[in-house]
Amino acid sequence: MAGAAEFVEADNAIMAEIETKSQKIESLLKHYKHIEALKTALEGSPLKTNDERCKSANWTVVHRVIMTIKDIDGMLNALDAEYYDTLMKYLYKGLSTGDEPTCEQCLEIHEKLTERAGLGCILRCLTDTTNTV
Amino acid sequence: MAVVDVHRFAESITCHAWSPDYSMVALCPNNNEVHIYKSSQDQWERLHVLQKHDQIVSGIDWSSKSNKIVTVSHDRNSYVWSLEGGEWVPTLVILRLNRAALCVQWGPKENKFAVGSGAKTVCICYYEQENNWWVSKLIRKRHESSVTSVAWHPNNILLATTSTDGKCRVFSTFIKGVDTKDSKAGSPVETKFGEQIIQLDLSYSWAFGVKWSPSGNTLAYVGHSSMIYFVDDVGPSPLAQSVAFRDLPLRDVLFISEKMVIGVGYDSNPMVFAADDTGIWSFVRYIGEKKAASSGSSYSSQFSEAFGKFYGSQSKSATANDASESRGGVHDNCINSIVSLSKAGSPKVMRFSTSGLDGKIAIWDLENMQEELGHQF
């Protein structure tokens, strides 16, 4: 089916993008540019596709950055409001892993993000079943 | 504050509607009855109890010119009540539904009313003079799930619906013999009954509370994901905007002017949205707050307890309680209905009422708030 082939192509393109992104992020992290790294990681998140590989690849990248963040307030200050919803979705993904250090970090960021973005942000994560991370 | 009257009528109110002179209110106290109260000198007196439905009455509307009450219920029936000799007499309307009826609204000319149902259909009912009864015509196509809310365009032909499939649709309800083709109408109106004019796919979650602006140019509806959607120039090329806001989702909206909307919902406090001069809609404020209200952690006490448990040892006293002034206010529980108290068709709504799960009806007056609300009002 031509449609399916299109999807595979698009997914491969996304995988390639994520590869380039992760390299860029590694170098940003080396230079302690955590905020830039997070922005890069969240940009272009594969929300629309159903492909598990893309999603888990992007999650690995985002996870890497989330774990390195020490100054949460500063990070949220610098992050644009349009990424709050995406970040919240990744936080819930992190909390679902059950892995202690990940959960601790995600919980801390969750508290601050909720203060900033409000309960509406959490609602949007819960009710949005089409754009998932 | 803009509240002029608050009264607790029951444990919980499902829906309410006002009489033509706004002296009486018909409400459903979350059971199968409709109670009619009259206000006299600061007291509310219960005048009538309408008992015909077998299950919860999910929608009530009171027509202002013909003084008829239409009620719909989860028992799949609808009754039109007329006042005869001081008593309300019901007339059964055969809706031909096999699921609950969820909402009802009289059309602007009051010769038709629309019922949204859990059977994924909308019933348009009109009065057939020859047989002396109300006939229902169904819009069966299109909806993929329950129809939660219906709203009539001022031209009495177009009907907007929202559904739990997340979409908002506009249909034509032209009925031969009931509606007349308006030859001087600006835009050509579809004249086939049940024809879908437009479908809006803005929401990813359940949609509720659709309303038209006074001129019929703009549509507003809410989604369960704490978003409100505005659509200007409804027609072949609409301009849609999605506004995400901080707090809990809304359940119903009301246009108080062409450029201002009040939303009510789970936050128990009405929210004001306005379009600026370029046409961009955004959240302005809560209606009960002063302009300098903090947007910080003003969660009510039940949330701070929950957050305390969630964050455990990590939380400090960050979730402070300035709840009493900013959130406390009028309603204690979800507001699920907002009804205008101004004459239908007027460009500005100065008074409106809200009812909710706390069993209270609050009447709000915007007379003194003109300055605070700004020039869009």
Side-chain angles (χ1 to χ4, degrees):
Chain A
M1 215 171 56
E6 264 175 48
F7 279 132
V8 174
E9 257 186 58
D11 289 341
N12 286 336
I14 296 176
M15 289 297 288
E17 255 183 64
I18 297 179
E19 270 299 311
T20 4
K21 235 179 20 175
S22 95
Q23 283 164 6
K24 199 167 157 208
I25 286 172
E26 285 302 324
S27 75
L28 282 172
L29 287 178
K30 281 205 185 96
H31 292 100
Y32 299 108
K33 292 212 171 84
H34 301 285
I35 296 166
E36 281 300 313
L38 187 64
K39 276 198 201 166
T40 321
L42 291 176
E43 246 168 35
S45 298
L47 291 172
K48 301 267 184 224
T49 169
N50 275 332
D51 189 21
E52 269 312 310
R53 296 176 309 148
C54 296
K55 291 189 194 283
S56 51
N58 208 54
W59 163 238
T60 319
V61 174
V62 175
H63 181 224
R64 173 103 177 75
V65 183
I66 288 183
M67 294 312 287
T68 62
I69 296 198
K70 303 276 179 290
D71 174 24
I72 301 176
D73 282 313
M75 183 263 291
L76 289 177
N77 272 330
L79 197 63
D80 297 322
E82 59 183 290
Y83 292 116
Y84 286 166
D85 287 352
T86 320
L87 179 59
M88 186 61 93
K89 289 181 187 165
Y90 277 116
L91 289 180
Y92 274 104
K93 187 149 185 155
L95 289 172
S96 74
T97 59
D99 170 49
E100 245 202 83
T102 314
C103 287
E104 255 184 59
Q105 179 75 339
C106 284
L107 201 55
E108 278 217 44
I109 305 183
H110 185 283
E111 185 182 357
K112 297 275 159 67
L113 184 58
T114 316
E115 258 181 59
R116 245 172 217 270
L119 298 170
C121 188
I122 301 181
L123 250 302
R124 276 184 286 280
C125 289
L126 295 175
T127 53
D128 198 349
T129 46
T130 36
N131 302 328
T132 51
V133 291
Chain B
M1 272 232 274
V3 181
V4 288
D5 192 16
V6 184
H7 185 84
R8 188 153 193 260
F9 289 93
E11 261 202 58
S12 202
I13 295 182
T14 321
C15 50
H16 73 285
W18 292 89
S19 64
D21 59 357
Y22 305 114
S23 66
M24 294 192 278
V25 63
L27 54 93
C28 171
N30 208 31
N31 59 14
N32 62 338
E33 300 170 345
V34 176
H35 295 195
I36 300 186
Y37 284 83
K38 188 179 176 73
S39 91
S40 46
Q41 299 143 336
D42 287 344
Q43 291 262 26
W44 288 90
E45 192 198 325
R46 187 166 75 188
L47 288 188
H48 301 104
V49 175
L50 310 179
Q51 283 169 315
K52 212 62 168 96
H53 287 290
D54 300 317
Q55 287 182 41
I56 197 174
V57 179
S58 45
I60 305 179
D61 202 10
W62 202 325
S63 65
S64 45
K65 285 174 240 161
S66 46
N67 198 33
K68 290 198 199 301
I69 300 180
V70 62
T71 58
V72 293
S73 158
H74 284 186
D75 66 4
R76 302 169 280 140
N77 284 334
S78 163
Y79 287 96
V80 174
W81 304 78
S82 324
L83 191 60
E84 282 163 30
E87 287 301 318
W88 286 95
V89 176
T91 311
L92 175 65
V93 179
I94 312 236
L95 294 174
R96 296 181 284 141
L97 287 179
N98 54 8
R99 291 287 184 278
L102 299 174
C103 52
V104 65
Q105 216 195 34
W106 280 108
K109 293 212 179 92
E110 293 169 15
N111 53 2
K112 298 190 283 192
F113 62 87
V115 180
S117 80
K120 311 185 208 173
T121 58
V122 178
C123 314
I124 310 292
C125 305
Y126 60 97
Y127 192 65
E128 215 169 63
Q129 198 61 45
E130 309 90 61
N131 294 322
N132 198 23
W133 68 349
W134 290 87
V135 177
S136 119
K137 261 189 108 155
L138 273 71
I139 300 180
R140 280 190 211 279
K141 296 192 282 190
R142 301 302 179 172
H143 289 105
E144 289 151 29
S145 189
S146 303
V147 180
T148 52
S149 176
V150 289
W152 287 93
H153 185 279
N155 70 7
N156 206 47
I157 309 243
L158 295 177
L159 181 78
T161 66
T162 47
S163 166
T164 45
D165 64 8
K167 307 200 202 313
C168 173
R169 300 176 174 86
V170 177
F171 292 93
S172 160
T173 63
F174 184 87
I175 301 179
K176 251 176 96 169
V178 179
D179 297 306
T180 46
K181 261 196 245 202
D182 191 5
S183 51
K184 57 175 164 53
S187 54
V189 175
E190 273 295 338
T191 51
K192 187 156 179 282
F193 179 84
E195 199 67 30
Q196 182 179 280
I197 312 290
I198 190 176
Q199 177 175 298
L200 299 157
D201 279 326
L202 299 167
S203 176
Y204 297 114
S205 54
W206 293 6
F208 296 101
V210 62
K211 288 270 171 26
W212 294 89
S213 67
S215 69
N217 188 50
T218 312
L219 256 187
Y221 67 102
V222 291
H224 206 56
S225 50
S226 291
M227 300 205 39
I228 183 169
Y229 305 97
F230 297 98
V231 187
D232 291 306
D233 302 324
V234 180
S237 49
L239 202 70
Q241 287 174 54
S242 311
V243 178
F245 49 87
R246 280 182 63 89
D247 298 298
L248 296 177
L250 298 175
R251 281 305 298 267
D252 203 0
V253 294
L254 178 71
F255 271 91
I256 52 172
S257 81
E258 197 61 35
K259 298 248 174 252
M260 222 173 221
V261 165
I262 300 218
V264 290
Y266 293 94
D267 270 316
S268 317
N269 207 346
M271 296 187 196
V272 183
F273 295 87
D276 62 17
D277 299 317
T278 59
I280 307 284
W281 288 87
S282 62
F283 171 71
V284 175
R285 49 174 287 170
Y286 279 98
I287 206 162
E289 277 174 2
K290 301 279 179 274
K291 270 206 185 123
S294 67
S295 56
S297 44
S298 51
Y299 295 122
S300 68
S301 52
Q302 62 182 130
F303 276 128
S304 57
E305 236 186 79
F307 274 131
K309 285 205 187 123
F310 189 47
Y311 295 124
S313 52
Q314 291 173 314
S315 102
K316 298 136 240 175
S317 54
T319 48
N321 281 358
D322 35 277
S324 40
E325 14 160 333
S326 59
R327 207 55 71 93
V330 179
H331 282 284
D332 310 311
N333 208 328
C334 170
I335 306 177
N336 54 17
S337 182
I338 178 170
V339 180
S340 160
L341 283 171
S342 297
K343 280 277 163 253
S346 55
K348 252 203 222 189
V349 170
M350 294 304 266
R351 287 166 65 98
F352 60 88
S353 66
T354 55
S355 74
L357 299 182
D358 56 354
K360 294 189 198 161
I361 291 188
I363 300 179
W364 307 72
D365 195 320
L366 298 171
E367 192 68 56
N368 301 323
M369 292 197 56
Q370 304 242 37
E371 273 197 45
E372 287 183 54
L373 290 175
H375 69 278
Q376 291 105 336
F377 181 50

